[in-house]
Amino acid sequence: MKAMVLCAGLGTRLGDLTREIPKPMLLLGGRPMLGFILGNLKRHGFDEIIINLHFKSELIRDHFGDGTTGGISITYSHESQLLGTAGGVKKMENFFRDAPEFLVHYGDVVTDQDFTAMLQFHRERGALATLLLHQRAKSNSVVTLDAEGRIVGFLERPTDEARHGHASRWVNSGVCICAPEILDHIPAETPCDLPRDVFPKLAGTRRLFGFPLSGYRCAVDSPKRLAEARAALAEGRCHISLPAWFTLF
């Protein structure tokens, strides 16, 4: 099965920690964060993986190679100009068109989520896209669900005024499973973003669904969050069962 890990961002909010290395190469337990993402994807059968790159791309390429030593296939997509989370996916349209579905995973999200259960949910509902969601107040997004788990409202980075009247605590978690049809909703050769430009427009299709987070999840977007992810792995709160080949990474 196919997946894309979004690793082209600059990680500026981490300051000096990402001045010389891409954010997905930050170490958790002595291993790059990206390795934990690949490990969980492989555990759930996602073994054909695209990684988009921009800043210091050679550090990721040199470390992970083509993935064959880990039983996966890695293809790289270099972006000389940042295309955003949706634009990066659209660039690789030919890779995804022949797949029944594909998964998109932010490169700074550490999670042990059960993607097998999420994929089953996605297929049973014939979803255009299924977004992993968690509950949090005052996050970057506000997601409103109906009783069947459909996303009927999606606000990205809303102002306090825009939040008024939206009581939902559901927010976007940075992982989604998509049908190839979603590519028709992304403009070509144009920088654009999934939560800002795509998901809000799809909320009215009745084919956008939310899947509740059932595992550990941390978006490593600050030094504090990096310390939290490291502690979660060290303390066993993040249960990524790493296969033996992971030590090669």
Side-chain angles (χ1 to χ4, degrees):
M1 292 189 291
K2 296 183 176 182
M4 184 167 189
V5 185
L6 302 173
C7 296
L10 297 174
T12 53
R13 284 182 290 178
L14 283 137
D16 288 343
L17 290 171
T18 51
R19 193 174 302 280
E20 299 296 333
I21 63 170
K23 180 162 54 170
M25 293 300 290
L26 291 172
L27 298 182
L28 303 177
R31 300 184 175 101
M33 176 166 55
L34 178 55
F36 287 90
I37 294 172
L38 296 175
N40 199 43
L41 287 171
K42 174 67 162 55
R43 179 163 67 115
H44 293 287
F46 293 93
D47 55 4
E48 295 182 67
I49 298 169
I50 289 276
I51 300 174
N52 70 335
L53 306 172
H54 176 71
F55 175 68
K56 298 281 188 180
S57 59
E58 71 280 359
L59 296 181
I60 292 178
R61 287 179 181 269
D62 291 348
H63 191 86
F64 291 95
D66 63 5
T68 54
T69 55
I72 58 178
S73 171
I74 299 176
T75 303
Y76 298 98
S77 172
H78 183 79
E79 297 178 11
S80 55
Q81 174 192 13
L82 288 173
L83 296 174
T85 56
V89 173
K90 181 69 173 182
K91 182 185 177 188
M92 301 311 298
E93 180 170 10
N94 290 341
F95 178 80
F96 293 122
R97 278 292 184 185
D98 65 348
E101 64 273 311
F102 59 91
L103 184 147
V104 180
H105 197 305
Y106 285 19
D108 64 353
V109 170
V110 178
T111 181
D112 57 6
Q113 177 63 40
D114 181 353
F115 294 145
T116 301
M118 185 175 170
L119 179 60
Q120 182 179 352
F121 176 95
H122 173 85
R123 288 174 172 172
E124 288 174 349
R125 284 151 183 80
L128 182 60
T130 299
L131 281 56
L132 184 65
L133 304 178
H134 65 283
Q135 292 197 1
R136 184 181 175 193
K138 293 281 189 176
S139 184
N140 289 339
S141 60
V142 178
V143 182
T144 306
L145 302 173
D146 69 11
E148 297 178 346
R150 284 189 186 86
I151 295 175
V152 294
F154 192 106
L155 300 176
E156 177 65 8
R157 300 187 183 277
T159 64
D160 289 341
E161 183 180 0
R163 286 180 188 271
H164 185 71
H166 296 272
S168 174
R169 290 175 57 88
W170 290 109
V171 302
N172 183 28
S173 295
V175 179
C176 58
I177 296 176
C178 303
E181 296 166 66
I182 200 172
L183 297 163
D184 298 331
H185 298 269
I186 305 173
E189 300 179 3
T190 302
C192 56
D193 186 61
L194 286 170
R196 185 189 66 228
D197 304 314
V198 179
F199 295 152
K201 295 177 181 178
L202 297 181
T205 66
R206 295 182 58 81
R207 294 187 61 205
L208 191 66
F209 285 82
F211 187 83
L213 178 75
S214 60
Y216 174 84
R217 182 257 184 203
C218 179
V220 181
D221 55 8
S222 68
K224 182 179 180 180
R225 291 286 187 87
L226 177 60
E228 155 58 25
R230 287 172 170 168
L233 285 162
E235 297 165 8
R237 290 184 283 116
C238 181
H239 302 285
I240 298 178
S241 299
L242 297 176
W245 58 261
F246 184 80
T247 57
L248 298 174
F249 287 168

